[in-house]
Amino acid sequence: MRHTKLRDLEVSRIGLGTMGMSFGYTGSGTDDPESVRAIHRALDLGATFLDTAEIYGPYTNERLVGRAIGGRRDQVVLATKFGLVSHSGGGLGRLDSSPANVRIAVEGSLRRLGTDHIDLCYQHRVDPATPIEDTVGALADLVVEGKVRHIGLSEAGPNTIRRANAVHPIAAVQSEYSLWTRDPEEVVLPVLRELGIGFVAYSPLGHGFLTGTVRSANSFDASDLRADNPRFTAENLPRNLRIADEIEIVAAESGATPAQVALAWLLSRGGDIVPIPGSRRAGRVEENTVATEVRLSPEQLARLDALPPAAGEHHTEEQMRMIDRP
């Protein structure tokens, strides 16, 4: 596995998002042993950049990751996120990046992950009630203490990124980015490249849609985040199948899978972009890591670039309100 850098943090070229092992999808949390095998397989293949968050579960995903990396912590670049749990009484889903909450959250993550430091600690969503300077200042204190090595932001807009970076160097910004969610390209990526900040792409396979395996929403249970996602509605999903169909055509031409093509396209966007596809199965982890070896022709890349925008927003209205926009 090749490596790249998010500012000064060296990471594997492809990481592993662990959320779906415990939370968010049909079947999540039903087979922890297989999820642990998937994490171990990722580490064996060199995909050592692992991504979790306190809200996943909540808390259960960090505990799972902590168990999986026991005895192998020195092989892992470990990332987690805070800010969607208010520990002062607001509870789950409440934005809280106050300095006091930052410290409580990080201390809790350290315990659950079974480690004395977090390699990359992200603010999960921008908290409009707390100046970003205060949040990053609290994280900078934790860097001095050795509990956090690098600081990140998730779904932050350009102004917030600039203000945060002025307080302490930001290593990475994480946002959704894929062949059907290209929002970061216009304003976020140029700012990151100006400031030397890396980019981590979550949901690089479009919540599984870009793998070509999702042809209807009938198989999602009520706990599945796709059940109310606008792109998976009965109206929009058929429109979006043209995107998956074109990816399948390129995959057949390339002798690759659709997932590998979608990831290879992302990797072609720049060495500062690191996708973190999620999977709870070792076989899928193996498939995804091979994407680093897929070479798409200029003509194939042009066809993928020309794909139509997806129909529907990539989150619900409530979730979209939590995204920091320009």
Side-chain angles (χ1 to χ4, degrees), residues 180 209 214-217 230-245 311:
W180 79 341
F209 183 80
V214 179
R215 308 296 295 187
S216 78
R231 293 189 178 174
F232 290 89
T233 64
E235 179 183 6
N236 287 332
L237 190 143
R239 300 176 183 175
N240 289 327
L241 287 175
R242 56 188 172 170
I243 300 173
D245 291 343

Side-chain angles (χ1 to χ4, degrees), residues 229-289:
N229 184 294
R231 293 189 178 174
F232 290 89
T233 64
E235 179 183 6
N236 287 332
L237 190 143
R239 300 176 183 175
N240 289 327
L241 287 175
R242 56 188 172 170
I243 300 173
D245 291 343
E246 182 61 29
I247 294 170
E248 286 198 35
I249 293 170
V250 173
E253 295 171 355
S254 306
T257 68
Q260 290 166 348
V261 167
L263 292 171
W265 176 85
L266 261 180
L267 295 173
S268 78
R269 309 303 288 179
D272 54 350
I273 295 173
V274 178
I276 50 168
S279 180
R280 57 181 183 267
R281 304 191 187 283
R284 290 295 188 189
V285 169
E286 293 172 357
E287 175 186 348
N288 292 340
T289 57

Side-chain angles (χ1 to χ4, degrees), residues 14-17 49 51 81 174 200-204 263 274-278:
I14 288 181
L16 175 63
F49 182 36
D51 183 273
K81 299 178 282 294
Q174 180 178 142
V200 176
Y202 77 79
S203 294
L263 292 171
V274 178
I276 50 168

Side-chain angles (χ1 to χ4, degrees), residues 77-91:
V77 177
L78 187 57
T80 193
K81 299 178 282 294
F82 69 88
L84 280 175
V85 179
S86 176
H87 296 278
S88 62

